[in-house]
């Protein structure tokens, strides 16, 4: 089913292992070993369990605390490789971060056969359209370019299960808040939402109260 709150995870199929005290699938455990992650950071220990359980999460974390894996591990676990539609969307403020987050997710998903595509300005949109036509499960994008794709009909978010707003305060500073609202309105109300931000000013609090449970 396309149920946004589907709690089926990778370890239902292939068995499990542990990352610290957190149960993860064998395939994600293998990826973590290959990357060299041995123990979860604090933000990972705090967020992975609640996100795996399907809850909405607000994480206050700076760059370099391991927050990409904090939302990336649950996203990889909860995405189903056999269902070819966009299941996860991560919004980030910059092209550089879009590429970094995509690369991290590709590493985390290396044994899960998930397609991860980055959509950002400054790269020909045709290249991204071609990538999106292949088996894509997770999209990492800047709000402006994601809206471009939505306008062209080359990105469909009607079945998205999880949306992550990464570095939300930076997106606020750049003026992306109206774009984020428009993008969220194109996703199911039943989706899971995670928000990560170094600071939580009042406009970010408003996003949390309006769009999160």
């Amino acid at each position: 089913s396309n149920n946004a709150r589907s709690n089926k995870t990778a370890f239902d199929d292939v068995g499990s292992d542990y990352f610290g005290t957190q149960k993860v699938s064998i395939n994600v455990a293998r990826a973590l070993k290959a990357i060299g992650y041995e123990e979860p950071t604090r933000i990972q220990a705090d967020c992975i369990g609640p996100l795996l359980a399907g809850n909405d999460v607000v994480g206050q974390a700076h760059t370099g605390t391991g927050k990409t894996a904090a939302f990336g591990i649950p996203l990889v676990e909860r995405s189903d490789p056999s269902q070819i539609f966009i299941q996860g969307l991560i919004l980030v403020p910059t092209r550089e971060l879009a590429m970094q987050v995509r690369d991290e997710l590709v590493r985390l998903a290396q044994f899960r056969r998930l397609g991860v595509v980055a959509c950002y300005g400054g790269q020909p949109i045709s290249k991204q359209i071609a990538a999106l036509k292949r088996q894509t499960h997770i999209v990492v994008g800047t709000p402006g370019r994601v809206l471009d794709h939505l306008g062209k009909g080359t990105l469909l978010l009607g079945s998205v299960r999880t949306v992550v707003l990464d570095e939300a305060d930076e997106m606020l500073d750049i003026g992306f808040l109206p774009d984020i609202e428009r993008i969220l309105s194109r996703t199911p109300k039943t989706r899971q939402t995670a928000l990560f931000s170094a600071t939580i000013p009042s406009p970010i609090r408003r996003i949390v109260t309006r769009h999160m449970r």
Side-chain angles (χ1 to χ4, degrees), residues 10-11 14-17 24-31 77 111:
F11 28 93
V14 294
S16 59
D17 199 345
V24 294
S25 69
I26 295 286
N27 285 334
V28 166
R30 281 173 69 201
E77 295 280 30
F111 303 111

Side-chain angles (χ1 to χ4, degrees), residues 66-87:
K67 67 181 161 60
T68 305
F71 61 74
I73 291 168
L75 196 50
V76 166
E77 295 280 30
R78 284 169 59 84
S79 297
D80 184 343
S82 70
Q83 296 192 311
I84 312 304
F85 59 86
I86 309 299
Q87 299 172 41

Side-chain angles (χ1 to χ4, degrees), residues 83-135:
Q83 296 192 311
I84 312 304
F85 59 86
I86 309 299
Q87 299 172 41
L89 172 69
I90 302 160
L91 295 176
V92 298
T94 65
R95 175 173 65 186
E96 292 71 31
L97 193 59
M99 291 188 280
Q100 268 172 39
V101 170
R102 180 216 36 218
D103 292 349
E104 174 90 342
L105 283 169
V106 166
R107 284 196 293 269
L108 291 169
Q110 60 187 291
F111 303 111
R112 287 278 287 142
R113 294 201 173 89
L114 294 172
V116 186
V117 172
C119 296
Y120 50 84
Q123 183 190 51
I125 199 163
S126 55
K127 195 175 169 184
Q128 293 165 12
I129 291 169
L132 288 167
K133 280 183 178 154
R134 295 195 285 274
Q135 293 194 354

Side-chain angles (χ1 to χ4, degrees), residues 45-78:
D46 287 347
C47 293
I48 293 172
L51 286 170
L52 273 175
N55 297 306
D56 286 6
V57 166
V58 177
Q60 191 163 1
H62 293 274
T63 307
T65 51
K67 67 181 161 60
T68 305
F71 61 74
I73 291 168
L75 196 50
V76 166
E77 295 280 30
R78 284 169 59 84

Side-chain angles (χ1 to χ4, degrees), residues 12 28-29 59 63 109 119 156 160 176 189-190 192-193 195 206 211:
D12 296 335
V28 166
T63 307
C119 296
L156 302 172
V160 160
F176 277 142
K189 292 241 184 301
T190 51
Q192 177 185 37
T193 313
L195 181 146
R206 280 198 291 279
H211 295 286

